[in-house]
Amino acid sequence: MLYMVEMIVQIPQSLDPELAAKIKLDEKEYSQKLQRQGQWRHLWRVVGEYANVSIFDASSNDELHTLLSGLPLFPYMQIKVTPLANHPSSIVQE
Amino acid sequence: MLYMVEMIVQIPQSLDPELAAKIKLDEKEYSQKLQRQGQWRHLWRVVGEYANVSIFDASSNDELHTLLSGLPLFPYMQIKVTPLANHPSSIVQE
Amino acid sequence: MLYMVEMIVQIPQSLDPELAAKIKLDEKEYSQKLQRQGQWRHLWRVVGEYANVSIFDASSNDELHTLLSGLPLFPYMQIKVTPLANHPSSIVQE
Amino acid sequence: MLYMVEMIVQIPQSLDPELAAKIKLDEKEYSQKLQRQGQWRHLWRVVGEYANVSIFDASSNDELHTLLSGLPLFPYMQIKVTPLANHPSSIVQE
Amino acid sequence: MLYMVEMIVQIPQSLDPELAAKIKLDEKEYSQKLQRQGQWRHLWRVVGEYANVSIFDASSNDELHTLLSGLPLFPYMQIKVTPLANHPSSIVQE
Amino acid sequence: MLYMVEMIVQIPQSLDPELAAKIKLDEKEYSQKLQRQGQWRHLWRVVGEYANVSIFDASSNDELHTLLSGLPLFPYMQIKVTPLANHPSSIVQE
Amino acid sequence: MLYMVEMIVQIPQSLDPELAAKIKLDEKEYSQKLQRQGQWRHLWRVVGEYANVSIFDASSNDELHTLLSGLPLFPYMQIKVTPLANHPSSIVQE
Amino acid sequence: MLYMVEMIVQIPQSLDPELAAKIKLDEKEYSQKLQRQGQWRHLWRVVGEYANVSIFDASSNDELHTLLSGLPLFPYMQIKVTPLANHPSSIVQE
Amino acid sequence: MLYMVEMIVQIPQSLDPELAAKIKLDEKEYSQKLQRQGQWRHLWRVVGEYANVSIFDASSNDELHTLLSGLPLFPYMQIKVTPLANHPSSIVQE
Amino acid sequence: MLYMVEMIVQIPQSLDPELAAKIKLDEKEYSQKLQRQGQWRHLWRVVGEYANVSIFDASSNDELHTLLSGLPLFPYMQIKVTPLANHPSSIVQE
């Protein structure tokens, strides 16, 4: 079951730079683990912004919230979730 | 080169129903041709709305505009285009 | 799996009054069928507006879209869907 | 008498972590007390956000304000209240 | 129990002028009846707009919705309701 | 001459709590003085928010600005003023 | 007493062109009468829009509403009123 | 003196197609005349929209308004004007 | 050539009070110099806000930007500029 | 391939003034290098704002993101990108 997830990252200037670097590293690792597991199906950068557009595949709303609230950058993100359905004109079922 | 394209369809009540049906049929055919050609990479329905989220692959901004303005439903759509770039945490290049 | 669904009804003045009355009757019947089946868990009127706030229970995004796009008033509605998850402070699992 | 209450939590980074933890614990306790008393009828997490959608049952606007302004997290919340009425198509009176 | 009610009137140009005049007359009569009954406590014109700001006194959300949806101009209005509570600095209880 | 005044209070976390308490006390006193003088005709709390809706009676725009900019909480408020006129359907002149 | 008044004109395509021309002529005459009387102090076109920014001088909110609702184009305008006060840095009292 | 001008075209469905075609042809001719005269410095299509971003060069606000209000499509456009100044980091004066 | 300029002042709480007082004094002096030179034609306070509406007269966009960016409060202001043109119904050319 | 890029600069008051001056100098140098290379085709100041409107020429979305995220002021900017296409009425291909 697919969801579009739009994430905007806003790290406060007051955050310790070393801690920030550590969180970003954790974020990358976490993100790639979910991608390899097939739960984070697509991840694109929005041109010119510290933001991304993603497609998630989760078995339920609860599972999706668990995945998103587990993001190391979650406290510094503004997230918008849009549930997606199969489109009758799509040539694939995804 | 990828773009997120969000389309909202607003067919006026005054449009002749037969003509509307014809346009929707043409739209489906046109959409599926672009999908088979790999230019319309993903097409999802936004749950609860007469709207879709799509990912297009075009070699230039001009090509993308040609594809979108050729949509049979183009005169009845509100379209928003977001250019996408490769994300450094993505495990694939797409 | 729960979703908040907010519906605003906008029936155009040009719609034939008899047809409008027929559609509203069908809407009521359809709504009550889904309520009895447990898929439309709550239905409240927004005070002062021709609008409602609803809680739907569906097994997937696709099922929810099927339920909503089947609403007789669907062509005259503006709908916004918010996926819900269990809240850690809730004393019930719903 | 029912109200939809939407709460977005925004705890400033500058708040002492121990104090923040204490406030969240108090919030949970306060919330569960109101749920057991039947005043906080439903509490759902908005997927991907530090926010909730709730349904409150209060005997008056004044009572509702007393309940909400008593929330331990009240100083850190953005709250929107929507009064609800019985819907003529609802199969229950709630 | 008090509510602020903001009403914006938008009568479509296509409405028959005689019918429009009749509805406005009914509206005035209905409004004055509710004012005399003490349910429509205040009614002010917003300067420069075909709109008003009102204070209603109703015993419940349901009663308020019944009053508002009974307005002869209801189908041509955009209405926003804000529930009000007693303010701790107010020198009167109203 | 009446005005609707909507005030949202946003006291920064960094303000000294004793000073904040002093300012709020001054605000209450100032507000009650204006109420007793008939210049602050109504004062209501917006349910669930640190905000109020007020009706002011001032002899001119200048006088109203003097009253509002004299509020002890003025530096911490977001204020919106709407000039009101007599409504032709109102049964009183106020 | 001064007010900034912003007017956006939206004449529907369906209005009879002769009638529209007549209304615009009346509007011009009405506007110039108020200007000569000193009530419509300034009138500027917003570049690129069928809109204006105006400064009105009225002795009360009621008088301003009477002036504005008397505009021949009033039914086809969207109007926003901002009450103005003397500025402490202004070298004139106006 | 340069201005960014953003134009969105909204031709109503009810406009006679032949008349619409004539207006578009006139628009093109008018636009190209201004381009050749150096007053319409740049003209770009916004990808996916019936809209453009333009750079105009005019000797005054009045001249710009004359140019824009002379557009054959002016009655069917939503226009936003942003005055531009020389940027201190620009390597050219334009 | 006239422009409407809307300025909202937001001085951060963290600014040294003496420095803030000095900047406001400089602002007043600067403002009055421009008024005496005829470049700052009108200056009004928006009732209830730390904001003003102004009319500037400048010979070019560049000159206007120089005047505005020279404001001592410029780093603490949110500014919106609207270019104005002569209105065909105005009885004066200004 | 052209893009309109709108940049708003928001340097926090807490940033060390010497560091800020250094970043602005780097920004200017970086900007002029891209202008000389033909990638930053136009750069204009928005009158009255610490903001600019720019036209970029990049061979791909990825290249544009690399250019923009390399801006020394990037962490302090809000950026909006609009992809542009050739306009059929333009007398040049740019």
Side-chain angles (χ1 to χ4, degrees), chain B residues 1-3 59-62 64-65 81-87 93-94, chain J residues 1-3 59-62 64-65 81-87 93-94:
Chain B
M1 207 165 59
L2 301 184
Y3 301 84
S59 61
S60 70
N61 291 342
D62 278 312
L64 181 61
H65 186 69
V81 172
T82 304
L84 302 175
N86 192 50
H87 193 288
Q93 292 267 2
E94 58 169 352
Chain J
M1 205 165 61
L2 301 183
Y3 301 83
S59 61
S60 70
N61 291 342
D62 278 312
L64 180 62
H65 186 70
V81 172
T82 304
L84 301 174
N86 193 50
H87 193 287
Q93 292 268 358
E94 56 171 352

Side-chain angles (χ1 to χ4, degrees), chain D residues 1-3 59-62 64-65 81-87 93-94, chain E residues 1-3 59-62 64-65 81-87 93-94:
Chain D
M1 205 166 59
L2 300 183
Y3 300 85
S59 61
S60 71
N61 290 344
D62 279 311
L64 180 62
H65 186 69
V81 172
T82 304
L84 302 175
N86 191 51
H87 193 289
Q93 292 268 2
E94 55 171 352
Chain E
M1 207 166 57
L2 301 183
Y3 301 83
S59 61
S60 70
N61 291 343
D62 279 310
L64 181 61
H65 186 69
V81 173
T82 304
L84 302 174
N86 192 50
H87 192 288
Q93 292 268 2
E94 56 171 353

Side-chain angles (χ1 to χ4, degrees), chain D residues 10-51:
Chain D
Q10 291 164 318
I11 297 177
Q13 302 289 329
S14 59
L15 194 68
D16 174 58
E18 263 185 63
L19 179 53
K22 170 76 170 64
I23 293 173
K24 287 181 199 172
L25 214 69
D26 291 351
E27 175 82 11
K28 186 169 189 168
E29 202 176 300
Y30 180 87
S31 160
Q32 297 194 333
K33 192 186 70 179
L34 297 196
Q35 289 177 65
R36 282 187 300 264
Q37 292 174 355
Q39 291 165 306
W40 196 326
R41 294 265 289 257
H42 299 282
L43 167 58
W44 298 290
R45 173 66 77 215
V46 177
V47 172
E49 302 184 29
Y50 193 1

Side-chain angles (χ1 to χ4, degrees), chain I residues 25-42:
Chain I
L25 213 69
D26 291 352
E27 176 81 13
K28 185 169 193 171
E29 202 176 299
Y30 181 88
S31 161
Q32 297 193 335
K33 192 185 71 179
L34 297 195
Q35 289 177 65
R36 282 187 300 266
Q37 292 175 356
Q39 291 165 305
W40 196 326
R41 294 264 290 256
H42 299 283

Side-chain angles (χ1 to χ4, degrees), chain F residues 26-40:
Chain F
D26 291 351
E27 176 82 13
K28 185 169 191 170
E29 202 176 299
Y30 180 87
S31 160
Q32 297 193 335
K33 192 185 70 179
L34 297 195
Q35 289 177 66
R36 282 188 299 264
Q37 293 175 356
Q39 290 166 306
W40 195 326

Side-chain angles (χ1 to χ4, degrees), chain F residues 32-84:
Chain F
Q32 297 193 335
K33 192 185 70 179
L34 297 195
Q35 289 177 66
R36 282 188 299 264
Q37 293 175 356
Q39 290 166 306
W40 195 326
R41 294 263 289 255
H42 299 283
L43 168 58
W44 298 289
R45 173 67 78 215
V46 177
V47 173
E49 301 185 30
Y50 192 1
N52 70 66
V53 171
S54 292
I55 304 295
F56 274 76
D57 186 351
S59 61
S60 70
N61 291 343
D62 279 312
E63 184 185 307
L64 180 62
H65 186 69
T66 302
L67 294 178
L68 294 177
S69 59
L71 287 164
L73 280 171
F74 183 73
Y76 312 110
M77 275 177 166
Q78 188 183 330
I79 293 183
K80 191 182 150 220
V81 173
T82 304
L84 301 175

Side-chain angles (χ1 to χ4, degrees), chain F residues 1-3 59-62 64-65 81-87 93-94, chain G residues 1-3 59-62 64-65 81-87 93-94:
Chain F
M1 207 166 56
L2 301 184
Y3 301 84
S59 61
S60 70
N61 291 343
D62 279 312
L64 180 62
H65 186 69
V81 173
T82 304
L84 301 175
N86 191 51
H87 193 288
Q93 292 266 2
E94 56 171 352
Chain G
M1 206 165 56
L2 301 183
Y3 301 83
S59 61
S60 70
N61 291 343
D62 278 312
L64 180 61
H65 186 69
V81 173
T82 305
L84 301 174
N86 192 50
H87 193 288
Q93 290 269 2
E94 56 172 351

